[in-house]
Each structure stands twice: as C-alpha cells, then as structure tokens.
Amino acid sequence: MAESTQSTHATQTARSSWRSGLLLSAAVTVLVALLLVHFDDFDAAPYSSDELAKKPVFDVPRTNPRVLHGSEKIGEGRLSGPEDIVFDPKLGVVYTSCGDGWIKRVSVNDSVVEDWVNTGGRPLGLALGYSGEIYVADAFKGILKISEDGEIEALTDEAEGVKFGTPDGVVVAKSGVLYFTDASWKYDLHDFALDILEGRPYGRLISYDLFTRQTKVVARDLYYANGVEMSPEQEFVIFCETPMMRCSRYYIQGEKEGSVDVFIDRLPGTPDNIRYDGEGHYWIAIAIEHTFEWDLARKYPYVRKVMGFLEKYWKRPSVEKNAGAVVVDLDGNLMERYYDPELKFVTTGIKIGEHLYLGSLMKPFITRLNLTRYAATAPPSTNP
Ligand SMILES: *[C@@H]1O[C@H](CO)[C@@H](O)[C@H](O)[C@H]1NC(C)=O
Ligand SMILES: *[C@@H]1O[C@H](CO)[C@@H](O)[C@H](O)[C@H]1NC(C)=O
C-alpha cells in the first residue's frame, strides 16, 4: 500500500516536471519564433485610414454563387495554370498563357488544344493585335510580340533604368501603342504574395510605342498593378490594383489625357485581369474573395509581417475561396457576380458568345459556363 502510494507520487512528480518542461520548451519556441519574426528584414507598411475605411461591397444585384455547377473543364490535363485568355474571332480560337511557358490555342467550337508557342518564361497577360499577332506580358521575359506564324520578338524589359519585376497585363491601342503593367518592380512572380503583404506601391503602368520603340512610365506608385483593358472608344485604359480591390482609368486621349481616376473600387475581392465583352460590360476576375482575416491583415502591418515570414520560410495558409468574376457596366456599376466556394485564384473571366471562360493560376484546365443556362439571378425578394 505504502509502496504503491510512493510510486504514484513519483509518477506524479515525473509527470509534472515533464509538463513544466513541455511548457518551458513551448514558451521558448514561441519566444524564438517572435524574435525571428521581429528581426526578419521583411517589413510591412500601414495602409492609409482612407483605404481602410473602404469596405468591399458584397451586395450585387445578380449572382451565381455555384459556378462549378454545370460548368465544363476545357483542355483538362493539357493546360497548366491558364492565367489569361484572349479570343481571336477570325480563327475561332482562344489563346491562353500557361505555367510551363506555353501559349496554347484552344478551338472554341470543339475544344481542341494546340501547343502554339513556348516563350521559355511565364506568359501572363495576352493581347490580340490588329493583324493577328499576339502581345505577351511574360513575368520573366518582359513584353513580347508573337507573329501570326509563331515568331517571338522581345520588345522591352525595363523602364527608367528599372527592370520589370513582374510584367503582368498588356493591351494594344489602335494608335500602335502598347499599355502594360509591371505589377511590382521589387518582387518577381514567385514572390507576388510578399509584395501584397508588404503593402507598398511598387507597380507601374507603362507604354511602349511600336513605331518609335520607346518605353515610358505613364502611372507609378501603383499597388500590384495587374490586368489592363482598353475602353471601347479607346479614350482610356483600365488597370486593376489587386490589394486595393479597385480598378482605375488612365486617359490616353481627350480633355483628361494623362490623368488617372477611379473606375470601380470596393470590389468584393482582389481583382486580376479585366476583359471588355464588346456588349457594354467589363468582366473582372476576382482572385480571392475579401475575408475577415485579410481585413485584419490590412489593418495591422504586424499581422502581414508574420504572414510574410510564414510565406518566406514555411507556407501560405490557405484561406482563399469564392473566386470568380464580376460584371461591371460602362459607368463602373457592379451588376453581376459569378463565384464558387471551391474556386481559388481565378485570374481571368471572359465572355465569348454565350459562354463565360475562367482562367486560373492553379487549375489544369479552363472552366467554361453556359451563361444562357446558368445566368446570375437576383436573390429572392425578402419582403413579399
Ligand atoms: C471547328 O472550327 C475549325 C476551324 O474553323 C473547323 O476546321 C472545324 O471543322 C470545326 N469543328 C467543328 C466540330 O465544328
Ligand atoms: C446553352 O444553354 C441554352 C439554354 O439551356 C441552350 O439553348 C444552348 O444550346 C446552350 N449552348 C450550348 C453551346 O450548349
């Protein structure tokens, strides 16, 4: 009896010292982690209170919150991370930019995939030229021109003596000028998340004149300058700033030439590419829905510093959901939203005929949805 009491006592002592040892090592681990984060050179900047006051708008007149229901997978297994999509009506194909350097062509009528040209880099934004050529914003190779027969020509890879960090979106004006974004002159594509977490404006909107071959920065200090699109009358170029959840206009002619104003802000998430559909609407891809966590991160730079540390040395926590695309009219009014809880990193939404095509950095296919059949609808009225 006495012996067993003693041994129980011994076990308890061993347990409690083991427990305090565990607590101590946990405390040391947390302390070391905090010091490592604290002394890491990654340093996030505060957002202005004006920016923080702008809350995203989720109240969209018409929605389809289950885009994957009824959608098809186009080119499954043959397309790796099809980031951007551009339509060539003359050939009846879409061009899409893939993670393995390929620009692939997919026929719209029967979805046949053709390996077209490999840039040797990571093509992102694509634009169809006026003679069937394709312009490419390649994250690693700069701005490229690819002739109709697949000849690659490098056009430009720096402005004002600063090499492009992440060429991202491109569009071509009838005047023969390309407008494109350098999302971040500081970070390359592998580190895009660090740019966004750091919260400083390293993005630029740049022009390249195809006749004079001059490269010019036309708007600077942009927050991760991403997709670009030309307005139907060619009076301005719209560009999206991903972490600011907004798209702005840069005027290329008329009274406002050279100035910038906001086209739409308070988007329900982070915008990527933007496409005009020829029918009065822009389609803006939403890569990540705005979340409560991201709201906190925007508010507290230290949260972004910790996230940056995790990003650098460990991995990114996966909180992304409800990616898709929004439809915006010519005056910048949010009309429709297409999304799905299972969609992440949607980078392009483009309407071709009666279909919506969605490109994504992560998926091995293009998602296609019949818009006639699965159109966004108004929510049922709550006050009958
Ligand atoms: C698709 O279009 C191509 C090129 O226009 C044509 O050669 C082909 O026959 C078409 N296929 C179908 C199934 O319509
Ligand atoms: C799209 O859906 C509509 C309505 O269900 C249908 O009439 C049409 O044939 C479909 N289009 C295609 C290309 O499947």
Side-chain angles (χ1 to χ4, degrees):
M1 197 65 189
E3 255 176 39
S4 100
T5 313
Q6 247 174 14
S7 83
T8 309
H9 182 72
T11 315
Q12 271 171 357
T13 316
R15 261 201 209 135
S16 88
S17 78
W18 180 75
R19 213 180 282 139
S20 55
L22 193 70
L23 272 178
L24 186 68
S25 62
V28 169
T29 309
V30 169
L31 194 68
V32 167
L34 281 177
L35 282 173
L36 281 176
V37 171
H38 189 75
F39 287 109
D40 189 73
D41 61 0
F42 181 76
D43 160 48
Y47 282 106
S48 75
S49 49
D50 281 0
E51 278 310 325
L52 293 175
K54 287 180 193 148
K55 297 295 174 204
V57 172
F58 290 103
D59 193 11
V60 181
R62 289 183 298 278
T63 62
N64 174 344
R66 287 276 182 273
V67 159
L68 293 183
H69 171 75
S71 70
E72 309 158 72
K73 296 173 181 175
I74 303 294
E76 188 169 15
R78 301 265 332 255
L79 306 173
S80 111
E83 204 264 356
D84 198 10
I85 299 168
V86 70
F87 177 50
D88 184 344
K90 205 180 89 202
L91 301 180
V93 299
V94 296
Y95 292 84
T96 187
S97 46
C98 297
D100 49 10
W102 281 103
I103 295 172
K104 304 221 176 181
R105 270 205 299 223
V106 186
S107 63
V108 164
N109 60 359
D110 48 12
S111 304
V112 173
V113 178
E114 175 201 349
D115 296 347
W116 186 53
V117 167
N118 196 306
T119 67
R122 199 322 171 187
L124 295 174
L126 301 174
L128 176 68
Y130 293 93
S131 325
E133 77 279 22
I134 294 287
Y135 297 98
V136 185
D138 187 297
F140 302 112
K141 300 278 176 178
I143 303 301
L144 313 174
K145 174 184 176 179
I146 306 182
S147 69
E148 238 180 326
D149 25 332
E151 208 78 32
I152 303 179
E153 184 189 346
L155 299 179
T156 175
D157 66 357
E158 63 162 54
E160 299 179 341
V162 180
K163 220 169 157 348
F164 307 155
T166 310
D168 201 324
V170 62
V171 76
V172 55
K174 280 195 188 118
S175 61
V177 177
L178 301 181
Y179 292 90
F180 58 94
T181 49
D182 180 13
S184 170
W185 54 260
K186 180 171 175 181
Y187 293 100
D188 73 12
L189 184 64
H190 302 302
D191 285 336
F192 78 94
L194 290 181
D195 181 283
I196 288 170
L197 292 172
E198 185 179 327
R200 289 191 180 84
Y202 297 119
R204 306 183 283 178
L205 179 69
I206 301 169
S207 67
Y208 175 84
D209 189 314
L210 290 164
F211 299 106
T212 67
R213 303 194 154 256
Q214 271 188 341
T215 306
K216 217 165 30 177
V217 177
V218 297
R220 62 190 77 238
D221 298 333
L222 310 178
Y223 290 87
Y224 212 82
N226 204 321
V228 279
E229 182 58 300
M230 186 66 66
S231 68
E233 304 300 327
Q234 306 236 335
E235 70 272 56
F236 52 82
V237 171
I238 301 186
F239 60 90
C240 302
E241 288 174 278
T242 302
M244 288 305 176
M245 299 176 286
R246 75 174 168 225
C247 304
S248 299
R249 291 177 282 217
Y250 171 76
Y251 291 85
I252 60 173
Q253 55 174 309
E255 266 169 45
K256 296 187 185 167
E257 187 178 333
S259 67
V260 172
D261 63 15
V262 173
F263 174 63
I264 182 168
D265 62 2
R266 306 197 299 144
L267 285 164
T270 53
D272 202 295
N273 285 310
I274 171 168
R275 291 269 168 227
Y276 183 63
D277 65 6
E279 302 166 4
H281 295 100
Y282 294 97
W283 292 73
I284 304 173
I286 300 294
I288 303 173
E289 181 185 54
H290 187 83
T291 57
F292 171 72
E293 292 88 344
W294 179 236
D295 215 30
L296 281 183
R298 274 167 66 85
K299 214 180 263 171
Y300 302 108
Y302 203 80
V303 172
R304 279 181 278 122
K305 184 175 166 77
V306 172
M307 288 167 78
F309 185 80
L310 293 177
E311 173 78 23
K312 271 163 76 175
Y313 301 111
W314 191 46
K315 67 189 202 97
R316 190 175 312 144
S318 172
V319 292
E320 308 89 11
K321 61 177 171 48
N322 290 336
V326 293
V327 182
V328 175
D329 72 11
L330 291 173
D331 302 318
N333 299 307
L334 194 50
M335 306 303 292
E336 295 181 350
R337 183 174 176 213
Y338 291 85
Y339 61 105
D340 195 284
E342 299 299 320
L343 275 175
K344 296 174 182 191
F345 290 106
V346 169
T347 45
T348 293
I350 176 173
K351 180 176 185 285
I352 303 169
E354 64 181 334
H355 286 111
L356 168 62
Y357 287 69
L358 296 174
S360 157
L361 264 187
M362 300 294 170
K363 300 267 191 227
F365 50 82
I366 289 171
T367 300
R368 183 167 79 173
L369 184 74
N370 182 334
L371 287 171
T372 313
R373 191 145 174 214
Y374 299 105
T377 53
S381 174
T382 43
N383 31 325

